Structures are given as structure tokens and as C-alpha cells.
């Protein structure tokens, strides 16, 4: 136990040193923070009916068919809208479509909202919907990253000015959820035809609560109130400015001086500073992103399920989260977050039981002192600390862990898909549809890009079954069987669901940090 405590002290010290090194020149901002500690004066109190938000980066292209980046959705959720919406509680609800109905498993009819206009005054109607999906699924859209998510759509038929029918080429139980995502937002055909595709990249027009009136690449994005927004009385703010500030230390300094009202991506080491200021509030939110150490099940000793289960018993997830992540993480039993449809609340993470781990390793014939390789991204300092702690736990049950750090692109695009990432490797996944199909099919279906070796006949059958039904209760029952089977097979050590931290000036009213990075600002006001 003393050795474990010593390890975590070293881990904590290491994180502090790494963060300090990454935020060089931060001493002045720390001193400024100390002077303002306990002060009741709000440095942003003189700002009018507008909001300034500090973000880490921006996508450099605002055309929805050209991006899959969360940085796009952070801003453009206020500019564009889709037929279906997903609110901050992640509930599916009507958007630009008032209602929809499946005529059969491959025919979906939408009744569109009337009286809606794009920011340029162009009417929203069935022609705009058809144009959007013809464009997304056509030659131009096929060059972008969003195309593959919507290939189940064969065609869109205009029935009348405010009715469209989607004809599908296959059953797609996740289509409604995907239509609530940012790839399927509706764009103005007349505006694009008049101004051209390149102009639209940097001068986007949608139907959302705010219109983009200023864009300085890598500097800032300015949104102003859409006076003709279809939701009565919204938005409440006149203006929102997104300032691009890559360095966390600089974002915090700008927050403390009142230059920004909301800071995204607060680091764990900054949380106490934020909480010490009486004009700031630290807000946390669970995300769809999960992290695990995945096994290559074709490599000894991980071709034996007892070994994989032993590794799960050997690691104390709760201690990793508390001691290294500062408590900002949620233990997981399967490779999905609690926000995902298909999440199985009946499953608990493997308990920390090193004696059980030793027993299973002995039964599997694994010799004490066996060395295994693990590959992780060299740029992820937090996960490096976690892996070092994992190495300690495994050492206690007779396993030596050889940690290899590589470039994240090399790991995800070369080593993992080609089965060259050692016996274990870091696996992180966002699950953007909030449906376990998006994760499970790509992780566990044989032949998928990120699944070079894992195969189980029962898993294959269940994956296909859930994809061939649009009955969500039936799919949920299938997912329970699927997650139970995965839990038993243990193709990875599931570690934690990520938690995002926001720092918010208390002049901001009704801001709710999103689970999925998509800032919803129409209800937000300031005082």
C-alpha cells in the first residue's frame, strides 16, 4: 500500500511538472490570479448583452459536408439546424421537421416546419432539404468525411412544399439520431448557387438562432442575433464571439481578466484556481468519450480469455480516476459511456481483486515475469501517467509492462488497423451518434478498420440483429445480450468515461455545458 501511495505521489508530481512545462510563461497569470482571489469584483461586469467564449481551435471550413470536427459543432450549432434536433439532455426532438413517420422500414416521411427562412432571407422548404442531401450524397459530398454516415439514404423525394420522403436502400436504425447530428444540417441552395462553394466555406448561412458576421481564421468567429429566428423570443443574446486560444494557461488568464466569459477545456490542474474565484463557476459534464486498453486477441497470452479477465481484475480503476484524473472520470464496464443508447446499467466494472488476477494467470499458465508491450500516444500526458500506474498494478500480479509511445496518427491509422500495436494499446472513442452501434460495429465486427483480430460468432450475430431492426426496444434488448457477452470476453480493460470541465463567469445565466461539445446558446443570457 505504501508503495502504491508513493507511485501516485510521483504520478501527481509528474502531471504538475508536465503541465507547468507546457504552459511556460504562466507565472504572471498565476500572480494575477492570486491578487484576484477572494475579490467580489467581476472583471467582465461591464460587457453588454454579449458573450465571449475561449475555445482551443476552429475547423477553418464551415461547410457541414467538409468536416467531422467537434470544433465545428461548438460554433456552428448556433448557425445551422437539421430536420431533427438533440437538446442538451440528449433527447431527440423536432427541429426543422415538425414530425416524421416510418411508412415501412425503408421509407421515412418528414413534415417540414413552415415560415422558416435562412439568414439571407431564402425560404426553407422541401427543395432545400432535397438539395442538401443530393449535395451530401453526390460527387462533392463523397469527397468529404460525412458521406459515409448517410449512405443508407437512396434518394429524397419532394412530395409538396413542406413534405419530403426519404427512400432508404437498407434498414438504418440509427438514421434519426444521425440526422440530429451536424453532418445533416440543411443548407440554402440559392445562396450556394449564387456565391459558390468556396465562398460558402468561410461565409456560412443557415437557419439557426445566430448568423455568422465575422470570421478571422485562427483568431475569432463573430455571431450576431438572427432577428427572424423561428423560435419566438430567441435568442436572448445580441452577439457571441468565439476567441481561438490554444493554450490552456492563456485561456485561464483571459478568463481571470474578464476578456472571456466561458473557458472550454479547463485542465484538471486549473480546477482549484477556477473554484477559488467567487465570480467564476467550475462546471463539469460527462461526455460520450471513453478510454480503454485494448488487447490484440490474436497474440499470446491475450488469446486466452482468462488472461484478459485477469488484467481487468488486476487494475484499480477508481484509484486511477481519483489519483490521476482528480476524480474527473467515470468508471465503465463496457466500451461506451452511460450516455450511449445500448448502455447496460446492470454491468459493474470488474472489481479490483489482485488475488483473483493471480489465480487466473496461474490457470492460464502465464509465467511470473512475463513481459507484454503496450502502445500509447506520446502526446497524451494524462494517459501516460495512467499507463504507468497500470504497469505498477500488473507488476503486483507478476506481469511486466513495456510502454511504447508513438505518434497518435501512426497509432490510430497504421499500427492498430494493421495489428502492429503490441499486445495492448490505448483505445479512445467518442461515440458521436450516442448509439452503441457506432462503437460496437467498428470495434467488434470482423474486418472493420479498427478491429484487425477480434472475432466472436455470437457478437457477429447480435451486431447484425440490432442493425436489422428500427424497433428501439428490441435493439435495447439485443444490446443487453451484446454487452454481457463482451463483458465476459473482455476484449479490453475498460477504464473510464471522460468528463469535460468548463469555467463560466457568473454573469452568464442559463448556460449548460454540453455532453457532446455542441454549445446551445439561444436560451443563454447575461446579467
Amino acid at each position: 500500500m505504501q508503495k502504491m501511495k508513493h507511485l501516485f505521489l510521483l504520478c501527481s508530481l509528474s502531471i504538475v511538472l508536465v503541465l507547468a512545462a507546457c504552459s511556460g510563461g504562466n507565472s504572471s497569470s498565476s500572480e494575477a490570479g492570486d491578487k484576484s482571489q477572494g475579490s467580489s469584483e467581476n472583471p467582465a461586469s461591464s460587457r453588454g448583452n454579449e458573450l465571449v467564449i475561449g475555445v482551443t481551435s476552429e475547423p477553418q471550413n464551415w461547410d457541414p459536408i467538409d468536416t467531422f470536427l467537434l470544433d465545428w459543432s461548438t460554433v456552428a450549432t448556433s448557425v445551422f439546424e437539421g430536420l431533427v434536433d438533440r437538446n442538451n439532455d440528449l433527447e431527440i426532438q423536432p427541429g426543422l421537421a415538425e414530425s416524421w413517420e416510418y411508412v415501412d422500414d425503408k421509407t421515412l416521411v418528414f413534415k417540414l416546419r413552415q415560415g422558416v427562412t435562412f439568414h439571407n432571407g431564402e425560404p426553407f422548404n422541401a427543395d432545400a432539404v432535397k438539395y442538401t442531401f443530393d449535395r451530401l450524397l453526390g460527387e462533392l459530398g463523397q469527397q468529404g468525411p460525412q458521406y459515409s454516415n448517410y449512405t443508407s439514404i437512396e434518394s429524397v423525394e419532394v412530395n409538396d412544399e413542406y413534405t419530403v420522403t426519404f427512400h432508404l436502400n437498407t434498414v438504418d436504425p440509427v438514421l434519426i439520431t444521425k440526422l440530429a447530428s451536424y453532418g445533416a444540417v440543411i443548407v440554402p441552395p440559392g445562396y450556394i448557387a449564387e456565391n459558390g462553394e468556396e465562398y460558402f466555406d468561410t461565409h456560412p448561412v443557415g437557419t439557426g438562432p445566430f448568423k455568422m458576421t465575422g470570421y478571422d481564421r485562427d483568431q475569432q468567429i463573430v455571431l450576431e442575433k438572427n432577428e427572424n429566428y423561428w423560435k419566438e423570443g430567441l435568442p436572448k443574446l445580441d452577439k457571441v464571439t468565439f476567441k481561438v486560444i490554444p493554450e490552456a494557461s492563456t485561456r485561464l488568464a483571459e478568463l481571470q481578466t474578464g476578456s472571456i466569459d466561458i473557458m472550454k477545456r479547463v485542465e484538471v490542474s486549473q480546477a482549484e484556481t477556477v473554484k477559488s474565484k467567487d465570480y467564476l463557476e467550475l462546471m463539469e459534464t460527462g461526455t460520450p468519450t471513453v478510454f480503454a486498453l485494448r488487447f490484440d486477441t490474436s497474440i499470446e497470452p491475450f488469446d486466452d480469455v482468462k488472461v484478459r479477465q485477469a488484467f481487468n481484475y488486476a487494475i484499480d480503476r477508481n484509484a486511477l480516476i481519483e489519483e490521476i484524473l482528480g476524480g474527473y472520470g467515470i468508471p465503465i464496464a463496457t466500451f461506451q459511456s452511460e450516455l450511449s443508447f445500448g448502455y447496460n446499467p446492470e454491468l459493474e466494472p470488474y472489481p479490483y481483486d489482485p488475488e483473483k488476477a493471480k489465480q487466473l494467470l496461474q490457470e492460464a499458465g502465464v509465467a511470473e515475469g512475463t513481459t507484454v508491450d503496450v502502445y500509447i500516444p506520446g502526446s497524451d500526458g494524462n494517459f501516460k501517467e495512467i499507463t504507468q500506474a497500470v504497469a505498477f498494478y500488473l507488476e503486483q500480479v507478476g506481469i511486466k509492462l513495456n510502454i511504447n509511445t508513438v505518434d497518435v496518427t501512426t497509432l490510430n491509422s497504421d499500427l492498430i488497423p494493421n495489428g502492429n500495436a503490441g499486445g495492448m494499446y490505448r483505445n479512445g472513442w467518442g461515440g458521436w451518434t450516442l448509439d452503441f452501434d457506432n462503437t460496437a460495429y467498428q470495434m467488434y465486427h470482423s474486418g472493420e478498420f479498427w478491429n484487425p483480430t477480434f472475432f466472436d460468432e455470437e457478437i457477429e450475430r447480435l451486431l447484425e440483429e440490432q442493425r436489422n431492426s428500427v424497433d428501439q426496444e428490441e435493439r435495447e434488448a439485443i444490446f443487453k445480450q451484446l454487452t454481457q457477452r463482451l463483458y465476459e470476453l473482455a476484449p479490453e480493460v475498460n477504464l473510464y468515461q471522460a468528463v469535460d470541465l468548463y469555467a463560466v463567469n457568473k454573469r452568464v445565466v442559463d448556460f449548460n455545458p454540453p455532453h457532446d461539445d455542441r454549445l446551445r446558446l439561444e436560451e443563454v443570457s447575461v446579467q
Side-chain angles (χ1 to χ4, degrees), residues 259-457:
S259 296
I260 63 175
D261 298 292
I262 297 174
M263 173 184 170
K264 279 194 68 181
R265 300 283 185 268
V266 177
E267 296 185 348
V268 170
S269 63
Q270 299 173 319
E272 290 304 316
T273 299
V274 172
K275 288 193 285 188
S276 72
K277 308 294 182 268
D278 56 10
Y279 56 87
L280 297 178
E281 181 179 2
L282 183 72
M283 305 180 79
E284 60 183 84
T285 183
T287 75
T289 301
V290 290
F291 290 95
L293 284 168
R294 181 103 186 247
F295 300 114
D296 185 334
T297 56
S298 70
I299 295 176
E300 292 184 353
F302 301 118
D303 55 346
D304 189 328
V305 67
K306 288 186 177 181
V307 175
R308 302 195 298 267
Q309 291 174 345
F311 275 51
N312 272 277
Y313 283 115
I315 297 166
D316 188 343
R317 295 159 180 77
N318 291 323
L320 297 179
I321 292 169
E322 289 301 319
E323 301 294 339
I324 296 179
L325 299 180
Y328 297 112
I330 301 169
I332 53 173
T334 54
F335 195 57
Q336 60 179 318
S337 83
E338 61 186 1
L339 304 174
S340 171
F341 178 81
Y343 175 77
N344 189 344
E346 296 173 6
L347 294 175
E348 295 287 341
Y350 277 77
Y352 175 49
D353 189 342
E355 293 307 314
K356 178 72 171 178
K358 289 178 183 178
Q359 175 192 335
L360 288 169
L361 289 170
Q362 186 177 18
E363 290 175 5
V366 177
E368 187 169 351
T370 294
T371 299
V372 298
D373 282 319
V374 62
Y375 281 75
I376 64 172
S379 59
D380 190 337
N382 275 358
F383 204 85
K384 185 176 181 180
E385 302 296 335
I386 285 172
T387 309
Q388 289 170 341
V390 166
F392 169 81
Y393 283 122
L394 292 178
E395 186 180 351
Q396 305 312 297
V397 298
I399 300 294
K400 293 182 179 179
L401 194 62
N402 181 32
I403 301 173
N404 301 271
T405 58
V406 294
D407 174 75
V408 66
T409 302
T410 301
L411 179 63
N412 292 333
S413 300
D414 180 15
L415 299 182
I416 292 175
N418 289 306
N420 295 321
M424 299 171 68
Y425 52 85
R426 191 203 75 163
N427 205 24
W429 195 256
W432 68 276
T433 63
L434 301 179
D435 187 297
F436 193 41
D437 171 83
N438 171 255
T439 303
Y441 208 86
Q442 297 190 61
M443 292 294 107
Y444 310 114
H445 184 264
S446 62
E448 296 299 318
F449 185 78
W450 283 295
N451 179 32
T453 61
F454 177 79
F455 173 80
D456 179 72
E457 285 187 6

Side-chain angles (χ1 to χ4, degrees), residues 455-466:
F455 173 80
D456 179 72
E457 285 187 6
E458 179 72 0
I459 295 296
E460 297 286 311
R461 181 183 67 80
L462 293 169
L463 284 172
E464 295 302 331
E465 275 189 18
Q466 64 85 23

Side-chain angles (χ1 to χ4, degrees), residues 104-123:
D104 56 52
D105 285 354
K106 295 182 181 179
T107 310
L108 181 59
V109 178
F110 288 91
K111 294 292 184 182
L112 307 182
R113 197 173 298 280
Q114 300 184 31
V116 178
T117 59
F118 289 96
H119 299 150
N120 65 328
E122 187 175 339

